Amino acid sequence: VVLLLSPVEFVPWQRMVAEVEGRGGVPLLLALDGVEDAGNMGAVLRSAEALGVHCVVVPKRRSASITSAVVKSSAGALFHLAVDRVTNLSRALGEMKERGLWVVGTHLEGGEEPWKVDLTLPLVLVVGSEERGISRLVKETCDFLVRIPMEGKVGSRNVSAATAVLLYEVLRQRKGQPL
């Protein structure tokens, strides 16, 4: 007898938003657009759980599957985090906007510095793959684009590091901390 178990039970983002709002909280979702590397996905999930994300939304295609490698690189954070898989990320983001969430995408060249954008609103932060960033359709769905300014000569395209930086900025603003 062989029993196959999924390492995670997927939870609809709508349910998580309703639960957070029901407790009087401000929803914070994270959407991954094209993050295909298991190590990066696990590291992103670890930061998401540590920094207060209520639900991570991943597309069914063009995304790393939830495998043992993702679980391992998340250092167990995956077991404490709601994850939803959607068929069409652009459509899901549109539904989130209709629900009252603001969609903030990350972009390497364009966009505002994150501390110039109000991240205390009900929010979906969208991060993309290291090679391509967020897709054109997802980018067009965003209400705002943010970028992390770089001081050095070498730009960082590591999605897990960028996600952690941006989630810390969300947390800083939501805690009312000065810049």
Side-chain angles (χ1 to χ4, degrees), residues 115 168-169 171-179:
W115 51 85
Y168 269 111
E169 177 59 19
L171 185 63
R172 184 195 67 78
Q173 285 188 25
R174 289 183 177 201
K175 296 280 186 187
Q177 301 295 319
L179 184 60

Side-chain angles (χ1 to χ4, degrees), residues 91-163:
R91 186 178 311 132
L93 292 171
E95 292 169 7
M96 292 173 194
K97 288 173 71 164
E98 290 173 8
R99 180 76 184 256
L101 280 76
W102 291 83
V103 179
V104 177
T106 56
H107 198 268
L108 291 173
E109 285 87 33
E112 292 288 328
E113 294 166 330
W115 51 85
K116 293 182 179 177
V117 176
D118 185 357
L119 302 175
T120 64
L121 302 167
L123 188 70
V124 183
L125 177 64
V126 185
V127 297
S129 73
E130 293 174 343
E131 291 84 34
R132 297 178 303 276
I134 59 175
S135 67
R136 180 186 57 81
L137 288 176
V138 166
K139 184 177 172 185
E140 290 172 1
T141 307
C142 294
D143 296 303
F144 302 101
L145 294 174
V146 295
R147 63 176 172 77
I148 300 171
M150 298 288 163
E151 294 289 325
K153 295 183 182 4
V154 178
S156 174
R157 293 179 166 226
N158 183 281
V159 66
S160 62
T163 302

